Amino acid sequence: MITVALAGKPNAGKSTFYTAATMADVDVANYPFTTIDANRGVTHVRTECPCLDREERCGNENCRDGKRYVPVELLDVAGLVPGAHEGKGLGNQFLDELTNADVVLNVVDASGATNAEGEPVAVGAHDPLDDVDFIEEEMDLWLAGIVDRNWESVERKSRSPDFDLDESITDLLTGFGATEHDVATVLRELEYPDDPKAWTADDREALARAIRRRTKPIVVVANKVDAAPDGAVDRLREGTDKPVIPATADGELALRRAAEAGVLDYDPGDDDFEIVGEVSDGQRAGLDAIRGVMDEYGGTGVQTALNAAVYDLLDRITVFPVQDASKWTDGTGNVLPDAFLLPSGSTPPDLAYAVHTDIGEGYLHAVDARSSRRIGESHELSEGDVIKIVSTAGP
Ligand SMILES: Nc1nc2c(ncn2[C@@H]2O[C@H](COP(=O)(O)OP(=O)(O)OP(=O)(O)O)[C@@H](O)[C@H]2O)c(=O)[nH]1
Ligand SMILES: [Mg+2]
């Protein structure tokens, strides 16, 4: 499963985002380092369900009237402070947790009401732009430290006659999620000495930065927009080349709880909601305030941020494998039972392997269930494709 990690300074709203996105109960409070042990849970990205092209909705537990939710893992970790890579705050512990992440949501407090250490200050007293770069810097320097400490292994291997630099560096970085292809691509863009013993600390740091950029892309979540001064989001957007998603994690949490209590008609990622139950005047005022933020930004931003991370930065598409190409069902009659988030450019054999190694190895051909036509082995799949795989290992 794809892992999305929430990173950011303390008190930015990571755990609030996590609770809203997973509906799991975790500690949230207005002081730094509320979270110490990482929280790990399941959230979803949202897409259109292919069942919208049929007469009836599919009834899958992850489909709400054609809004299809595809599971991804979400990780909530301790807040990071400047100097974390050297162990400041709860530093290294958090950074090690990031090793498993495929993509990072850097949650910043767009209201500027918390300083670099996450302590409360007056609204606008802290510049949120400062919080954007330092997370990246901490991640880069942390990885540079790992490369430094383990470089000796590369030097040692270089004495062997069949030494391969790409391979040795890949060995060093696989634990961080870097493939041989990542390493080769990054090395092509860098200048460095052939002999690993001649590499300087700067050479290693340049390698670490490039690998981090490639393997842990970042979306900036401009959280607490409900309390942010005018222009705060624009300022963030002008100050960084990363995607910036305005959000109110707190607002999303309120909506999900109210929806769960049957008071609201709201599905995650909707740009509006409807009050369908009894609410007090105070609750109505609170909901109206959230609606004001949603009107301005097109929603609460929580779903938008998750979708941006998975569909834009990781460049994934959703593909739905089925066994019956006319009914779009699995062997027991469930309509559109599964959804896979494949890298864009994936082919039918890639889907077969994603379903199961045996299905991949026994791959014979595939059928596009929409057109009932066979598709070739090198056919590039698209978002929302419904595909029947025929395999010697299949049912
Ligand atoms: N106004 C406003 N406050 C928010 C929002 N999201 C979170 N908060 C508040 O910000 C404070 C910190 O929230 P947490 O979710 O605990 O922050 P954290 O980033 O997990 O903090 P640490 O675990 O200490 O690193 C709490 O008081 C939240 O209620 C938001 O969208 N708007
Ligand atoms: Mg927390």
Side-chain angles (χ1 to χ4, degrees):
M1 208 188 296
I2 290 172
T3 299
V4 180
L6 294 161
K9 72 178 185 186
N11 222 347
K14 299 179 295 300
S15 296
T16 306
F17 187 112
Y18 176 89
T19 314
T22 63
M23 288 304 272
D25 260 325
V26 300
D27 292 340
V28 168
N30 186 24
Y31 48 78
F33 300 124
T34 303
T35 305
I36 296 173
D37 296 323
N39 301 303
R40 194 179 280 276
V42 174
T43 184
H44 302 86
V45 290
R46 170 175 162 167
T47 187
E48 278 187 8
C49 189
C51 73
L52 286 168
D53 293 343
R54 295 172 74 94
E55 251 159 55
E56 276 180 40
R57 302 291 72 79
C58 65
N60 185 282
E61 60 171 349
N62 285 324
C63 178
R64 281 191 224 170
D65 217 18
K67 300 164 195 172
R68 182 76 182 222
Y69 294 90
V70 187
V72 294
E73 188 178 51
L74 187 65
L75 196 59
D76 169 38
V77 298
L80 255 188
V81 295
H85 73 280
E86 297 166 325
K88 296 238 170 68
L90 299 174
N92 286 322
Q93 178 193 331
F94 149 79
L95 285 161
D96 289 344
E97 308 269 11
L98 262 191
T99 303
N100 303 316
D102 296 303
V103 58
V104 172
L105 299 180
N106 178 6
V107 182
V108 306
D109 174 356
S111 75
T114 44
N115 66 18
E117 275 74 39
E119 290 147 1
V121 293
V123 169
H126 178 80
D127 185 356
L129 205 47
D130 293 347
D131 304 335
V132 172
D133 294 334
F134 101 85
I135 290 288
E136 210 173 342
E137 190 66 9
E138 289 302 329
M139 285 168 61
D140 287 352
L141 295 179
W142 162 71
L143 185 59
I146 294 176
V147 174
D148 258 343
R149 284 195 296 283
N150 294 284
W151 193 252
E152 203 258 331
S153 73
V154 180
E155 289 182 4
R156 198 168 354 100
K157 285 180 190 154
S158 73
R159 290 187 210 121
S160 137
D162 55 0
F163 171 69
D164 181 302
L165 183 67
D166 287 32
E167 204 180 293
S168 315
I169 293 181
T170 306
D171 286 347
L172 179 62
L173 292 170
T174 42
F176 189 70
T179 61
E180 185 143 14
H181 178 67
D182 290 326
V183 172
T185 310
V186 159
L187 284 179
R188 226 176 290 134
E189 290 158 6
L190 295 174
E191 278 184 40
Y192 54 88
D194 288 336
D195 180 0
K197 288 197 264 321
W199 279 52
T200 62
D202 284 349
D203 292 330
R204 288 189 287 269
E205 187 179 308
L207 170 69
R209 284 184 191 273
I211 288 285
R212 202 282 309 153
R213 230 184 349 260
R214 199 177 159 81
T215 58
K216 312 282 178 220
I218 297 177
V219 175
V220 175
V221 178
N223 194 33
K224 310 193 188 182
V225 272
D226 53 295
D230 282 346
V233 174
D234 291 338
R235 212 184 116 67
L236 279 167
R237 287 203 167 122
E238 282 156 20
T240 176
D241 55 355
K242 312 216 152 31
V244 174
I245 312 292
T248 172
D250 216 23
E252 174 74 9
L253 183 56
L255 295 187
R256 291 225 195 171
R257 285 192 170 144
E260 207 171 58
V263 175
L264 287 194
D265 193 356
Y266 171 74
D267 291 319
D270 286 355
D271 58 11
D272 199 5
F273 57 84
E274 196 186 335
I275 301 177
V276 294
E278 290 291 318
V279 291
S280 68
D281 288 350
Q283 283 169 321
R284 188 176 294 273
L287 290 168
D288 281 345
I290 296 171
R291 177 172 277 138
V293 177
M294 294 173 85
D295 285 347
E296 189 169 351
Y297 298 106
T300 67
V302 169
Q303 190 67 65
T304 310
L306 290 164
N307 273 34
V310 172
Y311 288 117
D312 299 342
L313 265 74
L314 294 181
D315 201 14
R316 298 298 170 123
I317 53 169
T318 328
V319 182
F320 300 77
V322 293
Q323 281 178 36
D324 185 316
S326 62
K327 297 202 186 89
W328 295 11
T329 53
D330 63 10
T332 49
N334 300 307
V335 183
L336 296 165
D338 292 315
F340 283 80
L341 292 165
L342 302 180
S344 112
S346 290
T347 60
D350 293 332
L351 172 64
Y353 274 104
V355 172
H356 198 282
T357 314
D358 292 347
I359 307 272
E361 277 166 5
Y363 180 85
L364 295 172
H365 69 266
V367 176
D368 178 339
R370 276 206 178 75
S371 62
S372 303
R373 292 216 181 88
R374 268 203 199 196
I375 47 177
E377 240 176 71
S378 55
H379 174 93
E380 277 193 18
L381 298 170
S382 309
E383 172 62 32
D385 273 355
V386 182
I387 305 290
K388 175 185 166 67
I389 301 283
V390 181
S391 167
T392 53

